[in-house]
PDB file of all heavy atoms in Angstrom:
ATOM      1  N   GLN H  75      79.559 127.740 124.565  1.00  0.00           N
ATOM      2  CA  GLN H  75      80.372 126.556 124.326  1.00  0.00           C
ATOM      3  C   GLN H  75      79.926 125.456 125.268  1.00  0.00           C
ATOM      4  O   GLN H  75      79.638 125.695 126.437  1.00  0.00           O
ATOM      5  CB  GLN H  75      81.859 126.855 124.565  1.00  0.00           C
ATOM      6  CG  GLN H  75      82.438 127.874 123.590  1.00  0.00           C
ATOM      7  CD  GLN H  75      82.765 127.257 122.255  1.00  0.00           C
ATOM      8  OE1 GLN H  75      82.901 126.042 122.142  1.00  0.00           O
ATOM      9  NE2 GLN H  75      82.874 128.072 121.230  1.00  0.00           N
ATOM     10  N   ALA H  76      79.869 124.267 124.758  1.00  0.00           N
ATOM     11  CA  ALA H  76      79.442 123.132 125.573  1.00  0.00           C
ATOM     12  C   ALA H  76      80.615 122.574 126.351  1.00  0.00           C
ATOM     13  O   ALA H  76      81.771 122.834 126.049  1.00  0.00           O
ATOM     14  CB  ALA H  76      78.866 122.039 124.678  1.00  0.00           C
ATOM     15  N   ALA H  77      80.288 121.783 127.355  1.00  0.00           N
ATOM     16  CA  ALA H  77      81.343 121.078 128.073  1.00  0.00           C
ATOM     17  C   ALA H  77      82.039 120.139 127.111  1.00  0.00           C
ATOM     18  O   ALA H  77      81.390 119.420 126.352  1.00  0.00           O
ATOM     19  CB  ALA H  77      80.742 120.299 129.237  1.00  0.00           C
ATOM     20  N   PRO H  78      83.371 120.164 127.054  1.00  0.00           N
ATOM     21  CA  PRO H  78      84.084 119.319 126.091  1.00  0.00           C
ATOM     22  C   PRO H  78      83.933 117.841 126.419  1.00  0.00           C
ATOM     23  O   PRO H  78      83.674 117.450 127.547  1.00  0.00           O
ATOM     24  CB  PRO H  78      85.536 119.775 126.233  1.00  0.00           C
ATOM     25  CG  PRO H  78      85.601 120.387 127.587  1.00  0.00           C
ATOM     26  CD  PRO H  78      84.257 120.974 127.856  1.00  0.00           C
ATOM     27  N   SER H  79      84.078 117.031 125.393  1.00  0.00           N
ATOM     28  CA  SER H  79      83.999 115.593 125.574  1.00  0.00           C
ATOM     29  C   SER H  79      85.304 114.958 125.118  1.00  0.00           C
ATOM     30  O   SER H  79      86.046 115.533 124.351  1.00  0.00           O
ATOM     31  CB  SER H  79      82.830 115.002 124.782  1.00  0.00           C
ATOM     32  OG  SER H  79      83.004 115.257 123.415  1.00  0.00           O
ATOM     33  N   VAL H  80      85.586 113.779 125.590  1.00  0.00           N
ATOM     34  CA  VAL H  80      86.831 113.096 125.256  1.00  0.00           C
ATOM     35  C   VAL H  80      86.598 112.166 124.073  1.00  0.00           C
ATOM     36  O   VAL H  80      85.761 111.272 124.136  1.00  0.00           O
ATOM     37  CB  VAL H  80      87.350 112.284 126.455  1.00  0.00           C
ATOM     38  CG1 VAL H  80      88.633 111.560 126.090  1.00  0.00           C
ATOM     39  CG2 VAL H  80      87.576 113.212 127.643  1.00  0.00           C
ATOM     40  N   PRO H  81      87.281 112.357 122.954  1.00  0.00           N
ATOM     41  CA  PRO H  81      87.102 111.488 121.799  1.00  0.00           C
ATOM     42  C   PRO H  81      87.721 110.117 122.049  1.00  0.00           C
ATOM     43  O   PRO H  81      88.481 109.924 122.981  1.00  0.00           O
ATOM     44  CB  PRO H  81      87.829 112.237 120.689  1.00  0.00           C
ATOM     45  CG  PRO H  81      88.872 113.029 121.398  1.00  0.00           C
ATOM     46  CD  PRO H  81      88.258 113.428 122.716  1.00  0.00           C
ATOM     47  N   VAL H  82      87.422 109.196 121.161  1.00  0.00           N
ATOM     48  CA  VAL H  82      87.896 107.833 121.347  1.00  0.00           C
ATOM     49  C   VAL H  82      89.341 107.662 120.894  1.00  0.00           C
ATOM     50  O   VAL H  82      89.999 106.710 121.283  1.00  0.00           O
ATOM     51  CB  VAL H  82      86.992 106.841 120.581  1.00  0.00           C
ATOM     52  CG1 VAL H  82      85.592 106.856 121.169  1.00  0.00           C
ATOM     53  CG2 VAL H  82      86.934 107.200 119.099  1.00  0.00           C
ATOM     54  N   ALA H  83      89.835 108.576 120.065  1.00  0.00           N
ATOM     55  CA  ALA H  83      91.203 108.440 119.572  1.00  0.00           C
ATOM     56  C   ALA H  83      91.855 109.801 119.463  1.00  0.00           C
ATOM     57  O   ALA H  83      91.190 110.800 119.215  1.00  0.00           O
ATOM     58  CB  ALA H  83      91.211 107.744 118.212  1.00  0.00           C
ATOM     59  N   ALA H  84      93.155 109.841 119.662  1.00  0.00           N
ATOM     60  CA  ALA H  84      93.907 111.084 119.525  1.00  0.00           C
ATOM     61  C   ALA H  84      94.117 111.390 118.041  1.00  0.00           C
ATOM     62  O   ALA H  84      94.102 110.489 117.204  1.00  0.00           O
ATOM     63  CB  ALA H  84      95.254 110.944 120.224  1.00  0.00           C
ATOM     64  N   PRO H  85      94.322 112.664 117.710  1.00  0.00           N
ATOM     65  CA  PRO H  85      94.611 112.984 116.304  1.00  0.00           C
ATOM     66  C   PRO H  85      95.955 112.418 115.897  1.00  0.00           C
ATOM     67  O   PRO H  85      96.828 112.151 116.733  1.00  0.00           O
ATOM     68  CB  PRO H  85      94.623 114.510 116.303  1.00  0.00           C
ATOM     69  CG  PRO H  85      94.971 114.888 117.701  1.00  0.00           C
ATOM     70  CD  PRO H  85      94.329 113.851 118.563  1.00  0.00           C
ATOM     71  N   THR H  86      96.128 112.227 114.616  1.00  0.00           N
ATOM     72  CA  THR H  86      97.384 111.711 114.093  1.00  0.00           C
ATOM     73  C   THR H  86      98.340 112.880 113.877  1.00  0.00           C
ATOM     74  O   THR H  86      98.091 113.736 113.024  1.00  0.00           O
ATOM     75  CB  THR H  86      97.154 110.963 112.772  1.00  0.00           C
ATOM     76  OG1 THR H  86      96.215 109.897 112.986  1.00  0.00           O
ATOM     77  CG2 THR H  86      98.463 110.390 112.239  1.00  0.00           C
ATOM     78  N   ILE H  87      99.407 112.921 114.647  1.00  0.00           N
ATOM     79  CA  ILE H  87     100.374 114.010 114.577  1.00  0.00           C
ATOM     80  C   ILE H  87     101.779 113.418 114.434  1.00  0.00           C
ATOM     81  O   ILE H  87     102.199 112.598 115.246  1.00  0.00           O
ATOM     82  CB  ILE H  87     100.320 114.896 115.836  1.00  0.00           C
ATOM     83  CG1 ILE H  87      98.914 115.461 116.041  1.00  0.00           C
ATOM     84  CG2 ILE H  87     101.341 116.026 115.738  1.00  0.00           C
ATOM     85  CD1 ILE H  87      98.762 116.275 117.310  1.00  0.00           C
ATOM     86  N   ALA H  88     102.473 113.833 113.396  1.00  0.00           N
ATOM     87  CA  ALA H  88     103.865 113.432 113.208  1.00  0.00           C
ATOM     88  C   ALA H  88     104.740 114.653 113.451  1.00  0.00           C
ATOM     89  O   ALA H  88     104.415 115.756 113.004  1.00  0.00           O
ATOM     90  CB  ALA H  88     104.081 112.902 111.795  1.00  0.00           C
ATOM     91  N   THR H  89     105.824 114.488 114.182  1.00  0.00           N
ATOM     92  CA  THR H  89     106.747 115.596 114.425  1.00  0.00           C
ATOM     93  C   THR H  89     108.151 115.220 114.000  1.00  0.00           C
ATOM     94  O   THR H  89     108.533 114.051 114.041  1.00  0.00           O
ATOM     95  CB  THR H  89     106.750 116.020 115.908  1.00  0.00           C
ATOM     96  OG1 THR H  89     107.251 114.948 116.715  1.00  0.00           O
ATOM     97  CG2 THR H  89     105.346 116.400 116.382  1.00  0.00           C
ATOM     98  N   TYR H  90     108.906 116.253 113.594  1.00  0.00           N
ATOM     99  CA  TYR H  90     110.251 116.037 113.061  1.00  0.00           C
ATOM    100  C   TYR H  90     111.210 116.989 113.760  1.00  0.00           C
ATOM    101  O   TYR H  90     111.021 118.218 113.719  1.00  0.00           O
ATOM    102  CB  TYR H  90     110.255 116.291 111.548  1.00  0.00           C
ATOM    103  CG  TYR H  90     109.158 115.546 110.824  1.00  0.00           C
ATOM    104  CD1 TYR H  90     107.911 116.152 110.600  1.00  0.00           C
ATOM    105  CD2 TYR H  90     109.335 114.241 110.382  1.00  0.00           C
ATOM    106  CE1 TYR H  90     106.892 115.476 109.943  1.00  0.00           C
ATOM    107  CE2 TYR H  90     108.318 113.560 109.721  1.00  0.00           C
ATOM    108  CZ  TYR H  90     107.096 114.184 109.512  1.00  0.00           C
ATOM    109  OH  TYR H  90     106.083 113.511 108.873  1.00  0.00           O
ATOM    110  N   PRO H  91     112.259 116.463 114.422  1.00  0.00           N
ATOM    111  CA  PRO H  91     113.200 117.325 115.133  1.00  0.00           C
ATOM    112  C   PRO H  91     114.057 118.146 114.170  1.00  0.00           C
ATOM    113  O   PRO H  91     114.528 117.645 113.149  1.00  0.00           O
ATOM    114  CB  PRO H  91     114.057 116.334 115.928  1.00  0.00           C
ATOM    115  CG  PRO H  91     113.964 115.055 115.153  1.00  0.00           C
ATOM    116  CD  PRO H  91     112.591 115.033 114.548  1.00  0.00           C
ATOM    117  N   VAL H  92     114.264 119.402 114.504  1.00  0.00           N
ATOM    118  CA  VAL H  92     115.147 120.264 113.717  1.00  0.00           C
ATOM    119  C   VAL H  92     116.592 119.914 114.067  1.00  0.00           C
ATOM    120  O   VAL H  92     116.932 119.813 115.252  1.00  0.00           O
ATOM    121  CB  VAL H  92     114.855 121.752 114.019  1.00  0.00           C
ATOM    122  CG1 VAL H  92     115.854 122.659 113.314  1.00  0.00           C
ATOM    123  CG2 VAL H  92     113.428 122.096 113.600  1.00  0.00           C
ATOM    124  N   PRO H  93     117.460 119.702 113.091  1.00  0.00           N
ATOM    125  CA  PRO H  93     118.831 119.266 113.377  1.00  0.00           C
ATOM    126  C   PRO H  93     119.604 120.209 114.296  1.00  0.00           C
ATOM    127  O   PRO H  93     120.382 119.753 115.139  1.00  0.00           O
ATOM    128  CB  PRO H  93     119.474 119.200 111.986  1.00  0.00           C
ATOM    129  CG  PRO H  93     118.318 118.934 111.063  1.00  0.00           C
ATOM    130  CD  PRO H  93     117.165 119.706 111.645  1.00  0.00           C
ATOM    131  N   THR H  94     119.428 121.523 114.143  1.00  0.00           N
ATOM    132  CA  THR H  94     120.146 122.478 114.985  1.00  0.00           C
ATOM    133  C   THR H  94     119.480 122.576 116.353  1.00  0.00           C
ATOM    134  O   THR H  94     118.300 122.926 116.437  1.00  0.00           O
ATOM    135  CB  THR H  94     120.177 123.866 114.327  1.00  0.00           C
ATOM    136  OG1 THR H  94     120.848 123.778 113.073  1.00  0.00           O
ATOM    137  CG2 THR H  94     120.897 124.880 115.216  1.00  0.00           C
ATOM    138  N   PRO H  95     120.178 122.288 117.432  1.00  0.00           N
ATOM    139  CA  PRO H  95     119.568 122.392 118.765  1.00  0.00           C
ATOM    140  C   PRO H  95     119.182 123.831 119.093  1.00  0.00           C
ATOM    141  O   PRO H  95     119.898 124.776 118.732  1.00  0.00           O
ATOM    142  CB  PRO H  95     120.684 121.893 119.697  1.00  0.00           C
ATOM    143  CG  PRO H  95     121.618 121.124 118.817  1.00  0.00           C
ATOM    144  CD  PRO H  95     121.560 121.793 117.481  1.00  0.00           C
ATOM    145  N   ASP H  96     118.044 123.982 119.766  1.00  0.00           N
ATOM    146  CA  ASP H  96     117.573 125.306 120.202  1.00  0.00           C
ATOM    147  C   ASP H  96     117.680 126.313 119.055  1.00  0.00           C
ATOM    148  O   ASP H  96     118.264 127.395 119.194  1.00  0.00           O
ATOM    149  CB  ASP H  96     118.385 125.785 121.407  1.00  0.00           C
ATOM    150  CG  ASP H  96     117.741 126.992 122.085  1.00  0.00           C
ATOM    151  OD1 ASP H  96     116.519 127.182 121.950  1.00  0.00           O
ATOM    152  OD2 ASP H  96     118.479 127.750 122.750  1.00  0.00           O
ATOM    153  N   ALA H  97     117.090 125.966 117.920  1.00  0.00           N
ATOM    154  CA  ALA H  97     117.238 126.771 116.704  1.00  0.00           C
ATOM    155  C   ALA H  97     116.478 128.087 116.754  1.00  0.00           C
ATOM    156  O   ALA H  97     116.764 129.003 115.993  1.00  0.00           O
ATOM    157  CB  ALA H  97     116.774 125.963 115.491  1.00  0.00           C
ATOM    158  N   GLY H  98     115.496 128.199 117.651  1.00  0.00           N
ATOM    159  CA  GLY H  98     114.692 129.417 117.701  1.00  0.00           C
ATOM    160  C   GLY H  98     113.747 129.506 116.511  1.00  0.00           C
ATOM    161  O   GLY H  98     113.716 130.505 115.788  1.00  0.00           O
ATOM    162  N   ILE H  99     112.939 128.449 116.304  1.00  0.00           N
ATOM    163  CA  ILE H  99     112.055 128.399 115.134  1.00  0.00           C
ATOM    164  C   ILE H  99     111.024 129.518 115.207  1.00  0.00           C
ATOM    165  O   ILE H  99     110.430 129.771 116.254  1.00  0.00           O
ATOM    166  CB  ILE H  99     111.327 127.049 115.065  1.00  0.00           C
ATOM    167  CG1 ILE H  99     112.309 125.896 115.247  1.00  0.00           C
ATOM    168  CG2 ILE H  99     110.593 126.911 113.746  1.00  0.00           C
ATOM    169  CD1 ILE H  99     111.631 124.559 115.381  1.00  0.00           C
TER     170      ILE H  99
END
């Protein structure tokens, strides 16, 4: 494996909170 490099942009990630707190997904 090569030494990792830093890309110019982060991946596009969308996250959605689960309505029940601490649901144990």
Side-chain angles (χ1 to χ4, degrees):
Q75 296 281 341
S79 61
V80 179
V82 295
T86 302
I87 303 176
T89 64
Y90 309 92
V92 174
T94 299
D96 193 24
I99 312 172

